[in-house]
Amino acid sequence: MPDFLGLDAEKFGLTPELARDVRELDHAIGDVLAEQEGQEFVQAARGLLDGAELPADDPRMMQRLARAFTVVFQLINAAEQKEIVRVNRARRGDARNESIAEAIVTLKQQGKTAEEVETILRKLWICPTLTAHPTEARRRVVLDKILSITLTLARKESKGGPNLSGPLDLHGRAESYIRSTLTQLWQTDEMRQAALTVREEVKNAMYFFERTILDVVPWLYEDLQRALEEHYPGQEWRVPNLISYRSWVGGDRDGNPNVTPEITWQTLLDHREAALEHHLKSVEQLRWSLTNSVRLIGISREFEDSLARDLERVKLPAPDLTRYAQEPYVMKARVMMARLRAMLADIDGLRRGPGTKSEIAYSSEQEMLADLELMQGSLAANSGERMAFDGELPRLIRRLSVFGFHLATLDVRQHSDEHEKALTSLLAAAGVTPNYGALTEDQKAKVLSQELLNPRALTPSGFAADEQLLRVLDVFKLINRARTELSPKSIEAYVISMTHGASDLLEVLLLAKEAGLVRTTSGHIESDIDVVPLFETIDDLRGAGQLMQALYRHDLYGVHLASRGNRQEVMLGYSDSSKDGGYLAANWELYSAQGELARVSREANVELRFFHGRGGTVGRGGGRANRAIASQPPGSFSGQIRFTEQGEVISFRYGLRPIAHRHLEQIVNAVIVASTTNPRPDPLHYHAAMSELAETSRVAYRRTVHEDPEFWSFYTQATPVEYISFLTIASRPVFRPGKALQSIDQIRAIPWNFAWVQSRHVLVGWFGIGAALNSFADKPLLREMADKWPFFKTVIDNAQLELTRAHIPTARMYAARVRPVSLGTRIETEFERDFDLATGGILELTGQKTLLEGATTVRRTVEFRNPMVTPLNRMQIALMDRWEKLEEGDDHDPWREAILQTIAGLAAAMQSTG
């Protein structure tokens, strides 16, 4: 059989290894499609590469063709991931750029002593936070099948000696398995038939914890331990916990009415169950490996005494007491397994209501850690150092200390408007003020302060709260229950979307007080949760420093902070700020806000920790996280950082363990290096130049996107945004509740970006930059900034990527759909003018001949994909045109499925959604 599309990656300058994998996969999918659909189908698909006519009146044929191209891109993505692993694995240790070992070498070269390094490490805190933002278009079963093919490709080329786990005759088995899996994939629905529930989103997040994260995180600590021992020999290193994970999945209720208190409770139990089951498997591994016999080697007195106490408390079966009498570590492991199983049994009771705790269950992870450390100490003291400090035992100790019994701390997020509505109702019922929502900001702050100091509950006896108020109050009660019955680590932070004023934070404290999370006595406040403002719009970013300064000076808020260790976490929203003011302006406002927030926090002696709400695309703050860390404002980085991991970014970064390892080691490297670097303050003339550039860009962006009365009509016709709402990829609505498809303000940032990626405009990553660069007179200064200023260099590099991913000939095809034609022509011309100015301006200031000249692999990858992406765009446009001609009574389903398949295919092709 011939290849499917005749793909030749090497012709585009990609590596021979990648080209070989792509050819093999292309041949395999060609075989499967010829078998499943017939050779005529294969020829029809190949013809689309040459611009053949589309079967525009046959939606089922269009859907199958789009599906074929989707599978091709999924396979190419898999092959590229495998190649990333191969390249990084070839660069070992210190030779691998941006590795943990490289970071320790940097500290050594800076002259840091072992004591100084230990101090640095103890200050670091890195917290990736998984979210359920709807940007993953693939089903989990599809991800599993693609992963299986990737692993088979890797095993097939392994040269590590004879395969000791397979049959004697391996010839052709890998090829056969790949074709079998591709057949399964072809016969599996690409699209979900129903929208995801929140519980399903939680399970999807658990998938990445169970498959990857729980195993990869200990690897990073091993990397760090080895690097420290190599470069600082003679020191006894106990590496502190640097990494922890949090999640929004099941806790983020902003705009998602499906996230109820009951769902959040069940999510926390799912977290606990997943953690306990993983720990149980690890202890079972210890049970089979630590078979040391007291007839051959001794054990410590402390361990012996602990085991004796355990056997009095936990009744093991009598035969086991005899069978394993000479194997104390096996006995200890079996006791630990019994205690973990008791905890798992307790979860069933907690799911039904207030539960009772088993007498033998662990009370906390510290109790289990004490058991493991006793085991480790006994081994180390009896010629078992290798078993004590290498292998599953130290990995389990690290895993337990990082993930505990809670797995990932769950954030709760809600929109500030919901708190105001709830308190308007509650304060009126309590006789405090008849219309709290109508008060000025100062009046609100005064009322809230008075009520925070008042020890009484606001809720009057017999008060019948309305549904909206109950929804808000019940969340705070749930947080209190979780912290009491499960763990204080179960929920630690409450994030407030669209924070505009100090009252937004004080409102949350008052609502928390109603649930017992905040306690007031004699003017003193004890608080159990962090209150995290989220600044999202350009105006809010500009006012963030002043707002937080006012809060730091507020007597009651200052006492709240003191009870939380005098640390304030602030979240920065990249998506809405970019939608509000454009890519360049948003990046500058985010950078400026960080600098100002850092300054006012230093002056107030408050430890500031930033939480970066980054999305997958550059327009939503995407790009390489390690470079973003390195380009933060001087003096703004404390060594502690949180950032979101969203949608398709999660499946890319955490689908394969070595990819996750690489992603996390780059972040650890960047955090270590950034925390020890004292960059000079930015030159003031750089700031002045950037302010001018950002303002010019913002004006140009808003003039077209927000102020042109016909722009919304262009957008809804020149992108598939209307059809994106048909996707069943999340429990969260595409549009804000109660809002229709009527304006930019009402659409969420993710579908806003998603639609521009689909139409190949990729507008959100560059529009407005051209006008800014063209109008700025001092070109030598721009060249200097691009060369010497990390922030500006990162902004320009990310814009280069998006300009490269954009494809103007395809974007024109979408614009040609717009009616009246003059509208489509006018706005598309504005885009292309700025595109040309941005491209020319960047080439001039960087001295390059082509975009991404220094990142040739990325550029070549885009060039390799482009010819295959165009058929999907052509199909999508034809299907949208045909959809608009359907009449009432026509069968819409096949047309809808075909359009959705093109959306999924383009998401795979562009390797991003929103």
Side-chain angles (χ1 to χ4, degrees):
M1 289 287 182
D3 295 340
F4 177 43
L5 298 179
L7 302 180
D8 186 358
E10 202 163 1
K11 185 175 73 174
F12 288 85
L14 300 177
T15 65
E17 293 85 356
L18 176 58
R20 182 190 62 232
D21 285 341
V22 168
R23 278 195 304 272
E24 180 169 344
L25 292 171
D26 186 36
H27 190 75
I29 189 62
D31 282 355
V32 169
L33 290 178
E35 176 187 279
Q36 295 291 310
E37 301 292 334
Q39 193 60 41
E40 287 185 7
F41 176 84
V42 173
Q43 292 302 323
R46 293 194 70 169
L48 294 181
L49 291 178
D50 300 320
E53 187 175 346
L54 297 167
D57 289 321
D58 187 347
R60 288 182 171 82
M61 180 62 170
M62 293 273 269
Q63 190 270 341
R64 286 157 56 219
L65 287 168
R67 178 80 195 286
F69 277 87
T70 302
V71 172
V72 168
F73 281 116
Q74 289 169 341
L75 295 174
I76 291 172
N77 294 343
E80 288 181 353
Q81 283 196 303
K82 173 178 169 288
E83 179 65 2
I84 290 169
V85 174
R86 185 194 69 79
V87 169
N88 280 293
R89 191 161 275 156
R91 302 168 181 164
R92 297 181 180 178
D94 299 355
R96 188 166 63 245
N97 188 37
E98 298 172 343
S99 67
I100 291 175
E102 184 195 62
I104 299 304
V105 169
T106 300
L107 299 187
K108 185 75 171 179
Q109 291 171 345
Q110 291 174 351
K112 295 286 190 295
T113 66
E115 291 73 20
E116 289 171 328
V117 171
E118 187 173 3
T119 300
I120 290 165
L121 294 178
R122 292 197 178 282
K123 291 180 179 178
L124 304 185
W125 187 74
I126 301 163
C127 186
T129 303
L130 274 61
T131 78
H133 285 49
T135 61
E136 173 54 81
R138 294 168 295 176
R139 296 175 63 200
R140 200 167 100 179
V141 291
V142 171
L143 290 172
D144 276 340
K145 288 173 173 48
I146 295 295
L147 175 62
S148 178
I149 290 169
T150 311
L151 296 176
T152 303
L153 275 178
R155 284 194 297 269
K156 181 174 179 290
E157 74 169 30
S158 175
K159 299 179 176 62
N163 185 322
L164 301 182
S165 60
L168 290 174
D169 188 358
L170 293 171
H171 179 71
R173 287 180 181 268
E175 291 84 352
S176 176
Y177 181 81
I178 287 172
R179 281 159 176 74
S180 174
T181 308
L182 279 172
T183 303
Q184 295 172 26
L185 182 62
W186 186 251
Q187 295 182 4
T188 299
D189 271 340
E190 176 80 18
M191 311 302 297
R192 299 179 181 92
Q193 296 307 302
L196 277 176
T197 66
V198 181
R199 290 300 303 283
E200 286 170 330
E201 289 175 332
V202 172
K203 288 178 182 176
N204 287 345
M206 295 297 98
Y207 170 88
F208 292 105
F209 276 102
E210 293 161 1
R211 176 181 287 278
T212 302
I213 295 170
L214 282 158
D215 289 317
V216 169
V217 167
W219 295 355
L220 294 159
Y221 288 99
E222 290 172 2
D223 292 346
L224 184 52
Q225 185 81 30
R226 280 195 300 269
L228 289 168
E229 290 173 353
E230 179 180 349
H231 297 289
Y232 290 91
Q235 180 83 3
E236 187 175 335
W237 290 100
R238 293 185 65 86
V239 178
N241 287 338
L242 315 179
I243 301 172
S244 64
Y245 272 80
R246 294 196 182 185
S247 177
W248 280 15
V249 191
D252 179 12
R253 54 216 345 106
D254 176 17
N256 192 348
N258 301 309
V259 183
T260 62
E262 174 60 22
I263 286 290
T264 301
W265 176 249
Q266 295 298 332
T267 298
L268 292 169
L269 295 180
D270 289 342
H271 281 198
R272 188 175 181 87
E273 188 170 47
L276 291 172
E277 286 180 345
H278 204 87
H279 298 329
L280 179 60
K281 289 176 186 175
S282 296
V283 175
E284 192 164 12
Q285 288 182 44
L286 293 181
R287 174 253 178 279
W288 290 108
S289 61
L290 297 181
T291 51
N292 315 43
S293 171
V294 290
R295 296 175 61 188
L296 303 173
I297 196 75
I299 59 173
S300 71
R301 173 57 64 86
E302 293 82 3
F303 181 80
E304 186 177 9
D305 292 344
S306 171
L307 180 58
R309 290 192 298 271
D310 282 345
L311 293 176
E312 288 181 7
R313 184 179 182 186
V314 179
K315 304 303 180 184
L316 295 179
D320 288 357
L321 296 175
T322 303
R323 184 181 297 120
Y324 305 116
Q326 306 302 318
E327 298 175 343
Y329 300 118
V330 172
M331 297 279 276
K332 186 71 168 180
R334 291 182 67 82
V335 167
M336 295 173 72
M337 290 163 64
R339 301 186 73 179
L340 289 169
R341 288 190 181 112
M343 295 182 72
L344 283 166
D346 287 347
I347 290 176
D348 291 335
L350 288 168
R351 289 196 188 279
R352 294 188 295 269
T356 56
K357 187 176 180 181
S358 165
E359 291 183 0
I360 66 170
Y362 281 113
S363 61
S364 68
E365 57 257 32
Q366 284 74 28
E367 190 179 4
M368 182 174 170
L369 273 171
D371 276 348
L372 292 169
E373 287 169 351
L374 270 177
M375 187 181 289
Q376 190 176 50
S378 177
L379 286 165
N382 290 276
S383 304
E385 290 89 348
R386 290 187 185 278
M387 292 175 282
F389 300 112
D390 188 18
E392 185 52 36
L393 177 56
R395 286 176 190 159
L396 174 55
I397 289 172
R398 181 64 67 178
R399 199 178 292 124
L400 183 60
S401 65
V402 171
F403 298 99
F405 295 150
H406 65 287
L407 186 69
T409 297
L410 191 69
D411 281 350
V412 171
R413 181 174 76 136
Q414 183 56 283
H415 197 288
S416 58
D417 285 353
E418 295 299 308
H419 308 135
E420 182 182 288
K421 290 175 191 173
L423 279 172
T424 297
S425 172
L426 191 55
L427 290 168
V432 176
T433 180
N435 191 352
Y436 168 79
L439 300 179
T440 66
E441 174 64 22
D442 287 344
Q443 290 171 332
K444 286 179 182 176
K446 184 177 180 180
V447 168
L448 295 168
S449 298
Q450 288 172 346
E451 291 305 316
L452 276 168
L453 286 172
N454 195 328
R456 68 163 170 83
L458 275 174
T459 312
S461 176
F463 172 60
D466 60 40
E467 184 181 347
Q468 192 275 337
L469 176 56
L470 279 175
R471 226 175 25 239
V472 173
L473 289 177
D474 286 350
V475 171
F476 288 92
K477 293 175 184 176
L478 178 277
I479 296 171
N480 199 8
R481 180 189 178 193
R483 292 178 56 83
T484 303
E485 295 186 29
L486 298 179
S487 165
K489 294 179 181 178
S490 57
I491 298 175
E492 294 184 350
Y494 194 105
V495 181
I496 309 166
S497 296
M498 288 296 171
T499 299
H500 304 304
S503 64
D504 292 325
L505 284 82
L506 297 174
E507 285 168 0
V508 169
L509 287 179
L510 184 54
L511 289 165
K513 174 174 168 281
E514 283 298 291
L517 290 164
V518 171
R519 296 165 297 282
T520 307
T521 12
S522 306
H524 179 70
I525 288 180
E526 289 182 3
S527 180
D528 292 341
I529 58 169
D530 294 326
V531 181
V532 181
L534 169 50
F535 299 111
E536 300 176 79
T537 67
I538 297 291
D539 285 344
D540 288 336
L541 287 167
R542 288 176 175 175
Q546 186 177 356
L547 189 157
M548 295 311 301
Q549 187 176 56
L551 278 166
Y552 294 155
R553 293 172 177 172
H554 188 282
D555 291 343
L556 290 180
Y557 194 81
V559 177
H560 153 74
L561 277 183
S563 75
R564 301 300 298 164
N566 218 35
R567 178 191 297 119
Q568 175 67 54
E569 186 171 289
V570 170
M571 186 172 182
L572 303 172
Y574 288 70
S575 304
D576 282 285
S577 57
S578 181
K579 182 164 77 83
D580 185 19
Y583 168 72
L584 188 63
N587 273 272
W588 176 238
E589 295 298 344
L590 286 157
Y591 186 87
S592 301
Q594 287 179 73
E596 181 64 8
L597 285 163
R599 182 188 67 79
V600 300
S601 299
R602 279 195 304 271
E603 290 177 357
N605 199 30
V606 171
E607 182 182 345
L608 179 65
R609 181 165 72 201
F610 283 116
F611 181 8
H612 298 274
R614 298 182 179 277
T617 58
V618 166
R620 295 186 55 241
R624 292 177 57 179
N626 58 317
R627 291 191 179 176
I629 291 167
S631 60
Q632 292 180 99
S636 68
F637 184 55
S638 64
Q640 301 197 355
I641 189 170
R642 286 182 72 190
F643 50 89
T644 52
E645 304 270 41
Q646 301 183 6
E648 83 281 354
V649 169
I650 296 176
S651 57
F652 176 82
R653 290 176 175 170
Y654 295 102
L656 285 173
R657 288 173 186 165
I659 297 283
H661 192 182
R662 177 60 174 161
H663 167 57
L664 292 171
E665 79 166 358
Q666 287 180 302
I667 290 170
V668 174
N669 170 289
V671 167
I672 290 173
V673 172
S675 66
T676 61
T677 304
N678 294 311
R680 290 173 296 180
D682 296 334
L684 293 180
H685 62 290
Y686 284 8
H687 280 218
M690 194 63 219
S691 294
E692 181 182 333
L693 289 166
E695 183 59 18
T696 304
S697 173
R698 188 189 70 83
V699 168
Y701 173 88
R702 289 193 63 85
R703 183 170 55 238
T704 299
V705 173
H706 288 277
E707 296 164 12
D708 188 325
E710 295 183 297
F711 179 80
W712 183 249
S713 177
F714 173 91
Y715 174 63
T716 54
Q717 295 181 76
T719 73
V721 64
E722 179 181 351
Y723 307 94
I724 288 171
S725 63
F726 297 160
L727 285 171
T728 54
I729 62 175
S731 66
R732 191 180 188 216
V734 170
F735 302 97
R736 298 197 180 276
K739 308 292 185 181
L741 186 65
Q742 294 174 344
S743 76
I744 293 169
D745 293 336
Q746 292 162 349
I747 189 173
R748 296 187 185 279
I750 290 170
W752 163 256
N753 287 14
F754 197 167
W756 289 120
V757 171
Q758 292 272 309
S759 69
R760 300 299 304 278
H761 285 91
V762 200
L763 191 81
V764 289
W766 56 266
F767 186 53
I769 288 182
L773 296 179
N774 182 62
S775 67
F776 195 82
D778 192 346
K779 306 300 184 188
L781 175 57
L782 289 183
R783 286 192 286 272
E784 179 186 326
M785 290 162 59
D787 181 52
K788 296 182 177 179
W789 192 14
F791 163 73
F792 192 60
K793 177 175 172 51
T794 299
V795 168
I796 294 300
D797 285 349
N798 285 339
Q800 286 192 68
L801 173 62
E802 299 302 87
L803 288 163
T804 302
R805 283 169 15 101
H807 195 251
I808 295 303
T810 300
R812 283 179 189 152
M813 292 193 295
Y814 282 85
R817 300 187 66 248
V818 176
R819 296 294 179 271
V821 173
S822 58
L823 170 61
T825 303
R826 177 173 66 80
I827 292 186
E828 183 64 25
T829 299
E830 291 177 22
F831 290 163
E832 292 185 26
R833 183 186 302 116
D834 198 77
F835 180 92
D836 291 339
L837 290 172
T839 301
I842 288 174
L843 293 179
E844 182 182 1
L845 69 89
T846 59
Q848 300 175 144
K849 294 180 181 178
T850 59
L851 293 173
L852 293 181
E853 198 171 275
T856 53
T857 299
V858 176
R859 178 168 52 80
R860 290 167 180 168
T861 298
V862 174
E863 291 169 351
F864 167 59
R865 287 167 179 260
N866 274 340
M868 294 176 285
V869 183
T870 302
L872 280 166
N873 289 117
R874 288 178 58 218
M875 282 188 270
Q876 187 175 87
I877 290 167
L879 288 163
M880 291 193 296
D881 289 344
R882 188 67 178 79
W883 174 273
E884 291 173 2
K885 295 175 183 176
L886 294 177
E887 298 178 357
E888 189 174 348
D890 290 341
D891 186 0
H892 285 59
D893 287 346
W895 298 98
R896 180 186 293 108
E897 288 180 13
I899 292 172
L900 293 182
Q901 185 62 65
T902 64
I903 293 173
L906 286 166
M910 299 295 289
Q911 293 184 287
S912 68
T913 51

